[in-house]
Amino acid sequence: MPHKSRLVVLALSLAIAACAQTAPVAPAAPPASVDATSQPAAAGWLADVVAMSDSQAAGDRRAVIQRRLQGLGIQWSAVPFSVGEHSGENLLADVSGSADAPLLLLGAHSDKVDVGRGATDNASGSAAVLALAERFKREPLRHHRVAVAFWDLEERGLLGAKAYVADGKVKPALYVNFDVFGWGDTLWMMTPDANQPLVAASRAATDETGISLSAGDKYPPSDHLAFLKAGWPAVSYSLLGAAEIPLTLEAFAGKKPKPVPKVMQVIHSDADTVSQVDAVAAARGVDAVERALRRWDAQSAP
């Protein structure tokens, strides 16, 4: 999630500072609790989060993603961009599907702020996209081609996603964003349209996987906004605890939520480490999103 929506973030920081001493962040179960034999999806997701979190420089984090894509047999391309004084590099990769099929683009930002390890914000989202790339490479969708994107400089104002949209060469049938996908029992879906077919598909999928869905147009800023502001269809997913969602919206509205939700204590802080994530929960969330996208794709038949 972006580092600077200047006044909002300042107000939010003051609110968190006022409450943080009385609401310390409790670490999640340690990574060693994931049994790679019984929970291979969780272990794979966690390995990607750990590798990215161990890499502090933006280029090193992208290199982790590049190696993972190569291991999946997915060819990637680096797309440099410049916005004012900032220069960055997006990673784009075609995963599966016919070149003339409508495009489903899955994306997450790979950069982080200067503090913390960026495990939750946003190695967790990048790892979710990698997990889905692996699944859609193995079993393509019937009616859409799938591509993935890893945006740079999201924390500087969604600059990587904005550069892609400004280029304007490939408009997706739908862009699906992932930002903060680290723990909890609820798939939080940003959708500007409650009647979007993916909403019903997501609700059915979460019912099947035993988690909840919270869908609506109120959601923190992330890369989906670059698409929506251009009139391109987009949604975004996070994975959190159900009770955190209304409190997080209060925080982004400049209020002082009590208690301060875990996500607002973790992101953009020294607490953003691998100790906070829950790989088993994240794997369950990825399962739900995969089911939702496959159901949505099946319903998109001409």
Side-chain angles (χ1 to χ4, degrees), residues 26-152:
S33 68
V34 177
D35 183 337
T37 301
S38 62
Q39 299 281 356
W45 177 89
L46 182 61
D48 290 332
V49 172
V50 169
M52 290 192 68
S53 300
D54 286 345
S55 304
Q56 291 297 285
D60 292 340
R61 290 168 76 89
R62 289 195 298 273
V64 170
I65 296 170
Q66 291 165 359
R67 289 192 295 271
R68 181 79 163 89
L69 291 172
Q70 287 173 337
L72 295 172
I74 297 173
Q75 298 299 312
W76 54 269
S77 60
V79 183
F81 65 89
S82 295
V83 180
E85 63 183 12
H86 300 292
S87 294
E89 185 175 272
N90 293 328
L91 295 179
L92 304 176
D94 292 321
V95 174
S96 60
S98 172
D100 60 355
L103 173 63
L104 171 64
L105 180 63
L106 313 177
H109 74 89
S110 61
D111 63 315
K112 62 179 286 295
V113 296
D114 292 337
V115 298
R117 289 289 183 174
T120 301
D121 188 13
N122 185 36
S124 67
S126 294
V129 173
L130 287 169
L132 290 167
E134 180 175 9
R135 298 177 187 204
F136 290 132
K137 172 72 171 177
R138 183 172 60 243
E139 185 182 346
L141 296 178
R142 294 182 180 181
H143 306 293
H144 291 83
R145 64 187 178 98
V146 176
V148 293
F150 299 90
W151 311 118
D152 198 6

Side-chain angles (χ1 to χ4, degrees), residues 9-31:
V9 170
L10 177 58
L12 182 57
S13 299
L14 292 173
I16 292 173
C19 301
Q21 289 185 348
T22 59
V25 179

